[in-house]
Amino acid sequence: MPNRLALLFQFLLICAVVYLKLRDDSVYFLTPDSHFYLEAVQNLLSGKGYVITFEGKKTFCAIWPIGYSALIATVAFLTSFSVEIASKIVNLLALAGCFWLIQRLFRDKAWFVSLGFVASSLIQLYTNTWSETVFILFVLEFCVFFSPSSRASQWQKEGSVIFATAAFLTRYTGVFLLIPLMLRRQYKAAFYFVVLMAGYLFFNFYHTGTFTGGHGFWPTEPFNQRLGRGMRGLGEELLFFAVRDWDLKNLGLSDSVKWFIYGIALLQWVLVGLIVRHVIYFLRLTKKIKINLDSMTKFILQDPFFLVAFAYLLFTISIYLTDESIESLYFRRLAPSSLLFTLGVLAWVSQQKQLFERTKWLFVAFFALSIIHSIPKIVLGI
């Protein structure tokens, strides 16, 4: 019961911060992509089909798959809320599903592993009308059904195909789930997944003459320039995934608020240093400090969080380098892999009894400070 209460508290805390962020933003975190999603939702609700106005003409929406808009339309239809509010409800329901999955997987340690969901970058993601939160839910479902054994049960194999397809219908990036399926030699599941994806892509082609609305053009900028920009994006994600504060984008921010933000970030990095120190001490104590490449590779291939995270990251980098429609590597594109890596680390720590007891409150403090980055500073009175 205390574990479930802790999970509920974390979820409600995130909901409260999302509400505060929406109240503080005049456009309610609606970006150009968001407006296309919502236009498609309105057309679905009015019976016009999955169409949007793109480049001045009405067209079937092949640029984004139908999944996210269909979920928003369903919630709007059932609740009579506006499509804008329905989109936020969909995100929070998806987040609730993520918490439920973590509870089912980790039981009494679920409260600790779920700390990964309160990273400031992720809260920014939940607040926007973007498909990534729902995508993360389906990827997590895939991880649950994705057995480390190639001799998985039929139910596990079917589940992995279902949720891989759901992820693809939310974001085309879901095709990356072919990588872990192939690495685990689940060829039959991979075949079914390919057939389902191909069916949807040919459905797009029937309506528009394109498979994904025109993606897939080689970048025109010099390769070294694009590579450098991508590496900078990866570096920023590594350094600021849980310490990013979007209030710093406000040019009118007072110096006192800036120093408050810097102070919170500094405290977080001190906590990271303490956690790393404990981890190194634990590895030395258990004589696990000499980890060879083979054992590391085996561990990654066996752990679904790390395997899927690496697969997503490598796929995203590859697409960024070869498709000019992917303008940059930033938190929105990298968040799924960042979250999976974080959950993987927290899950591993939770399984090491001595290390867990030494570091659990350091992790709690770190992610509690991350929440502060997400709260609009005007709410804090500074």
Side-chain angles (χ1 to χ4, degrees), residues 11-250:
F11 174 70
L12 293 178
L13 180 60
I14 292 173
C15 291
V17 175
V18 167
Y19 174 77
L20 292 174
K21 288 174 77 68
L22 289 171
R23 286 290 301 270
D24 188 57
D25 187 81
S26 59
V27 296
Y28 300 104
F29 285 83
L30 298 176
T31 66
D33 284 4
S34 307
H35 289 291
F36 282 121
Y37 287 133
L38 296 180
E39 182 188 359
V41 172
Q42 291 283 18
N43 287 326
L44 284 170
L45 289 171
S46 61
K48 297 177 181 178
Y50 188 52
V51 296
I52 58 172
T53 303
F54 189 72
E55 296 182 346
K57 62 180 180 180
K58 286 279 186 182
T59 179
F60 181 84
C61 185
I63 301 174
W64 296 279
I66 195 172
Y68 186 51
S69 293
L71 288 173
I72 297 172
T74 301
V75 170
F77 176 77
L78 293 175
T79 63
S80 298
F81 285 131
S82 69
V83 293
E84 292 85 359
I85 294 176
S87 70
K88 310 305 181 184
I89 292 174
V90 166
N91 284 3
L92 293 177
L93 287 175
L95 178 62
C98 292
F99 273 95
W100 179 79
L101 283 173
I102 295 300
Q103 197 278 324
R104 291 291 302 273
L105 278 175
F106 298 101
R107 302 296 180 182
D108 62 319
K109 295 296 194 309
W111 71 270
F112 179 76
V113 179
S114 64
L115 289 172
F117 292 113
V118 304
S120 57
S121 291
L122 293 174
I123 294 178
Q124 187 80 358
L125 207 66
Y126 312 144
T127 311
N128 279 278
T129 295
W130 290 339
S131 60
E132 278 75 11
T133 306
V134 175
F135 178 75
I136 285 170
L137 170 63
F138 291 138
V139 171
L140 281 178
E141 289 272 19
F142 175 86
C143 291
V144 171
F145 282 88
F146 188 50
S147 169
S149 170
S150 60
R151 294 176 292 181
S153 68
Q154 189 62 32
W155 167 236
Q156 286 175 303
K157 292 177 181 178
E158 290 175 355
S160 65
V161 173
I162 290 169
F163 291 111
T165 305
F168 176 78
L169 292 177
T170 306
R171 290 179 67 209
Y172 289 127
T173 308
V175 68
F176 89 94
L177 291 171
L178 269 177
I179 300 173
L181 285 173
M182 295 299 287
L183 288 174
R184 292 274 182 84
R185 300 180 181 180
Q186 296 187 8
Y187 301 128
K188 193 173 182 180
F191 173 75
Y192 290 143
F193 183 34
V194 169
V195 169
L196 291 168
M197 288 191 295
Y200 187 81
L201 293 178
F202 277 105
F203 180 68
N204 283 346
F205 192 83
Y206 171 79
H207 284 283
T208 67
T210 67
F211 292 110
T212 60
H215 292 285
F217 297 101
W218 284 94
T220 55
E221 66 180 311
F223 180 78
N224 60 340
Q225 182 178 328
R226 191 165 181 83
L227 180 63
R229 195 151 54 87
M231 291 177 67
R232 185 168 63 250
L234 289 169
E236 289 177 358
E237 181 72 4
L238 177 64
L239 291 174
F240 304 120
F241 171 65
V243 302
R244 188 180 276 114
D245 196 309
W246 273 265
D247 277 6
L248 287 173
K249 288 188 174 182
N250 183 355

